[in-house]
Amino acid sequence: MPGEVPSDVQFMRLALQQAEHARRGGEVPVGAVLVQEGRVVATGANRPIGTDDPTAHAEVEAIRSGGRSLGSYRLTNTTLYVTLEPCPMCASAIVHARVRRLVFGAWDRRAGAAGSVIDLFSLPGLNHRVDVFGGVLMEECAGLLKAFFAGRRL
């Protein structure tokens, strides 16, 4: 519908497209989309293998691109959509970038920093609070990861 505000599900589908891009490049399929006022300002796909950069996670890629796009390292009034619960490195970057809201798909029981292993976002003394919501398109996000790792074990 014209004038309709895109939903969390619609933006997560865009993040899934980024995850698929990472998968095609031989990377763990995680994708991210940074949104401000209903408009995509940056995207990111996992690239640590291809770039030989352990910090090139989808979230960090989107945050870096978002900073350039918005002309500021402070990404206020933004929402970051990620197909997998962020790790501690990415969670810290999200806090430091002043992202307002985080929406993720699959939970990461081994490295998740939004409640699975640790809830970095609720630590006392942080200079910024992020609204966190997990489980959007959880099955699709988890399925992409499961299929990727199953294919690697053959």
Side-chain angles (χ1 to χ4, degrees), residues 4-147:
E4 184 177 307
V5 177
S7 70
D8 288 347
V9 170
Q10 289 168 304
F11 286 124
M12 188 60 73
R13 290 202 188 288
L14 295 176
L16 276 163
Q17 289 175 7
Q18 290 299 309
E20 181 59 32
H21 178 71
R23 185 198 63 76
R24 285 193 307 270
E27 304 278 356
V28 175
V30 179
V33 174
L34 185 68
V35 174
Q36 187 179 61
E37 297 175 0
R39 181 179 64 90
V40 174
V41 295
T43 60
N46 257 8
R47 299 181 337 122
I49 297 167
T51 60
D52 296 320
D53 178 357
T55 69
H57 290 193
E59 300 93 314
V60 172
E61 293 291 297
I63 287 169
R64 287 176 179 156
S65 180
R68 288 189 298 272
S69 175
L70 297 173
S72 176
Y73 72 97
R74 290 192 173 172
L75 305 177
T76 56
N77 281 334
T78 60
T79 299
L80 183 64
Y81 295 87
V82 187
T83 58
L84 181 64
E85 178 184 4
C87 71
M89 175 187 72
C90 293
S92 294
I94 291 164
V95 169
H96 286 289
R98 312 297 200 284
V99 171
R100 181 179 58 82
R101 189 167 171 255
L102 166 68
V103 178
F104 66 89
W107 295 88
D108 185 348
R109 303 287 179 218
R110 293 181 182 220
S116 288
V117 174
I118 186 172
D119 187 354
L120 191 136
F121 297 102
S122 69
L123 293 176
L126 292 178
N127 63 341
H128 176 72
R129 293 287 170 209
V130 178
D131 292 332
V132 178
F133 185 74
V136 174
L137 296 181
M138 181 173 53
E139 282 107 27
E140 288 179 52
C141 294
L144 187 58
L145 288 159
K146 285 177 187 171

